[in-house]
């Protein structure tokens, strides 16, 4: 299969982790005889620096012409600490989501059995966690009208949703639930917000066409608590843009590191794959960032194109790196391995699943004998 992939490394650790994901995709090409082509494009703070625009027109064109986009991370502390900045790196990603109409953001949350003891939460609570967040991505408070009074003392952000915006993602979430454990939880704040009441109405109605799926509702404040208290109660969570942003970061602690969680942003015509972690500027160029979330995002890309065996090969190689503790310091503070070594290990294990070679490979990293 030929797939045209736009590579948007972005800021901070983004380019580092995307490089590792590309190594893995190349390993998939080699092993399964595919041809992927890669076109790099600028986005975020780096794009502002080079062009004055966080999403240059050229980048939009490259993304529109690609079959899929692999995205690193966005953001720079320079802008975070400057409330006066009118051009911000994040605008690049938000505009891209809007421009490509990537209305559904899918964030799977799972616990890797090998890492269960590394989670800050107790094993009994998190064992078996496996849920997916369907976050609406192009509406709500992120994109509603923004106002700032002339004297700069009053500000507002409008949270607006239309029936159509709710219904298109709701169908995808119900379909996902149908193919999983058949439970859908709508997370909202319907006791306070009019927009949440619209969500409930529309989702309840759509639920009638999916009778096999059990639909329930949870207020977002309670959901924030339940995700930590009993994550096993969730199968598919459907929620609006801002709530989804917050609960997906929260959910990432279950697995022990935010550096493990991938995501897919899907529209009718385009698809973008990105780790859920941010740009982690402190780790830039230090070779310590965890590449697994980016590599798993590449696996979601493969899955999106129906390449199941290829997806499994990537997951298997990732599991092996965790099992053999070829991991970055966020997972094991004493680990001698860095971003690129972990990327190499996973890519090599996609190409060659022979155990002996892998032991050999590990020895190289440890500076031990490479003769087996
Ligand atoms: C995410 C990020 C973005 C968001 C930022 C970088 C704009 O936090 O993808 O979760 O808030 O959506
Ligand atoms: Mn976020």
């Amino acid at each position: 299969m030929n797939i045209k992939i736009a590579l948007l490394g972005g800021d901070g650790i983004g380019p580092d982790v995307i490089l590792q994901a590309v190594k893995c995709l190349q390993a998939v090409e080699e092993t399964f005889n595919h041809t992927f082509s890669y076109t790099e494009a600028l986005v975020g703070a780096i794009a502002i620096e080079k062009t004055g625009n966080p999403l240059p027109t050229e980048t939009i064109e490259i993304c529109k012409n690609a079959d899929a986009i692999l995205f690193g991370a966005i953001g720079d502390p320079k802008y975070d600490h400057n409330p006066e900045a009118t051009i911000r790196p994040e605008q690049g990603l938000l505009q891209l989501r809007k421009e490509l109409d990537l209305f559904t953001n899918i964030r799977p949350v799972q616990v890797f059995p090998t890492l269960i003891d590394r989670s800050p939460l107790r094993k009994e609570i998190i064992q078996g966690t496996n849920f997916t967040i369907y976050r609406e991505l192009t509406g709500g408070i992120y994109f509603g009208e923004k106002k700032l009074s002339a004297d700069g003392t009053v500000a507002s952000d409008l949270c607006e949703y239309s029936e159509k915006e709710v219904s298109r993602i709701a169908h995808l979430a119900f379909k996902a639930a149908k193919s999983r454990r058949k439970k859908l939880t709508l997370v909202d704040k319907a006791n306070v917000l009019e927009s949440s009441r619209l969500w409930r109405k529309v989702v309840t109605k759509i639920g009638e066409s999916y009778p096999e799926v059990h639909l329930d509702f949870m207020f977002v404040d309670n959901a924030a608590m339940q995700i930590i208290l009993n994550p096993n109660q969730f199968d598919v969570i459907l929620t609006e843009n801002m709530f989804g942003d917050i609960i997906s970061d929260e959910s990432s602690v279950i697995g022990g590191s935010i550096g493990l969680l991938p995501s897919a942003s899907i529209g009718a015509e385009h698809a973008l794959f990105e780790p859920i972690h941010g740009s982690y500027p402190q780790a830039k160029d230090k070779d310590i960032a965890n590449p697994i979330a980016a590599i798993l995002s590449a696996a979601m890309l493969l899955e999106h194109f129906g390449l199941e065996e290829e997806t499994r090969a990537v997951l298997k190689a990732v599991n092996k790196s965790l099992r053999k503790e070829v991991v970055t310091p966020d997972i094991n503070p004493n680990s001698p391995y860095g971003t690129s070594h972990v990327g190499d290990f996973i890519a090599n294990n996609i190409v060659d699943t022979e155990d002996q070679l892998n032991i050999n490979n590990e020895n190289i990293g440890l500076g031990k004998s490479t003769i087996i």
Side-chain angles (χ1 to χ4, degrees), residues 107 135 142 245-246 248-249 276:
R107 298 186 162 183
R135 166 189 175 195
Y142 271 60
D245 180 44
I246 298 168
S248 59
D249 266 34
I276 86 149

Side-chain angles (χ1 to χ4, degrees), residues 82-282:
N82 177 9
E84 305 291 319
T86 47
I87 300 181
R88 301 181 161 276
E90 288 78 4
Q91 289 161 349
L93 178 56
L94 297 176
Q95 197 193 329
L96 187 63
R97 288 172 178 170
K98 198 72 176 173
E99 195 81 43
L100 303 182
D101 204 16
L102 303 171
F103 60 86
T104 296
N105 183 227
I106 304 167
R107 298 186 162 183
V109 180
Q110 278 181 48
V111 180
F112 289 95
T114 39
L115 295 181
I116 200 146
D117 294 317
R118 305 219 188 273
S119 172
L121 299 175
R122 282 207 311 276
K123 190 174 166 178
E124 313 82 81
I125 291 180
I126 60 169
Q127 209 150 33
T129 296
N130 184 343
F131 64 88
T132 293
I133 300 171
Y134 272 63
R135 166 189 175 195
E136 201 290 327
L137 203 59
T138 50
I141 195 167
Y142 271 60
F143 292 96
E145 190 188 358
K146 297 182 186 309
K147 283 195 206 156
L148 182 64
S149 65
D151 66 359
T153 60
V154 182
S156 69
D157 300 271
L158 181 69
C159 180
E160 192 170 54
Y161 270 108
S162 67
E163 187 179 329
K164 184 176 154 233
E165 284 173 308
V166 176
S167 113
R168 59 186 184 171
I169 184 173
H171 279 288
L172 296 184
F174 272 110
K175 284 187 186 128
K178 199 171 150 182
S179 70
R180 293 174 47 104
R181 299 195 309 278
K182 302 186 174 41
K183 183 176 173 192
L184 180 67
T185 305
L186 176 65
V187 167
D188 64 22
K189 189 73 188 171
N191 51 346
V192 177
L193 302 178
E194 200 56 53
S195 52
S196 286
R197 289 192 275 272
L198 178 74
W199 272 81
R200 276 206 188 196
K201 201 174 93 193
V202 175
V203 171
T204 305
K205 182 89 192 105
I206 291 173
E208 290 167 11
S209 346
Y210 299 88
E212 58 281 84
V213 177
H214 174 75
L215 171 66
D216 67 5
F217 307 95
M218 199 179 272
F219 295 142
V220 63
D221 44 354
N222 184 27
M225 201 165 66
Q226 295 299 329
I227 283 171
I228 298 297
L229 284 177
N230 178 14
N232 273 294
Q233 68 186 289
F234 298 106
D235 179 18
V236 177
I237 292 178
L238 169 63
T239 192
E240 63 92 60
N241 202 343
M242 174 78 128
F243 297 158
D245 180 44
I246 298 168
I247 63 167
S248 59
D249 266 34
E250 185 197 11
S251 304
S252 77
V253 306
I254 297 172
S257 171
I258 195 170
L260 296 169
L261 290 196
S263 80
S265 302
I266 310 284
E269 285 167 33
H270 301 280
L272 178 150
F273 302 85
E274 61 171 319
I276 86 149
H277 61 68
S279 57
Y280 191 15
Q282 306 85 331

Side-chain angles (χ1 to χ4, degrees), residues 265-314:
S265 302
I266 310 284
E269 285 167 33
H270 301 280
L272 178 150
F273 302 85
E274 61 171 319
I276 86 149
H277 61 68
S279 57
Y280 191 15
Q282 306 85 331
K284 186 177 163 54
D285 298 330
K286 290 202 179 132
D287 198 37
I288 55 170
N290 191 340
I292 290 183
I295 293 171
L296 292 175
S297 301
M300 288 185 89
L301 182 156
L302 296 168
E303 197 179 18
H304 178 75
F305 290 98
L307 301 176
E308 284 170 19
E309 201 187 334
E310 292 80 344
T311 308
R312 275 197 303 275
V314 178

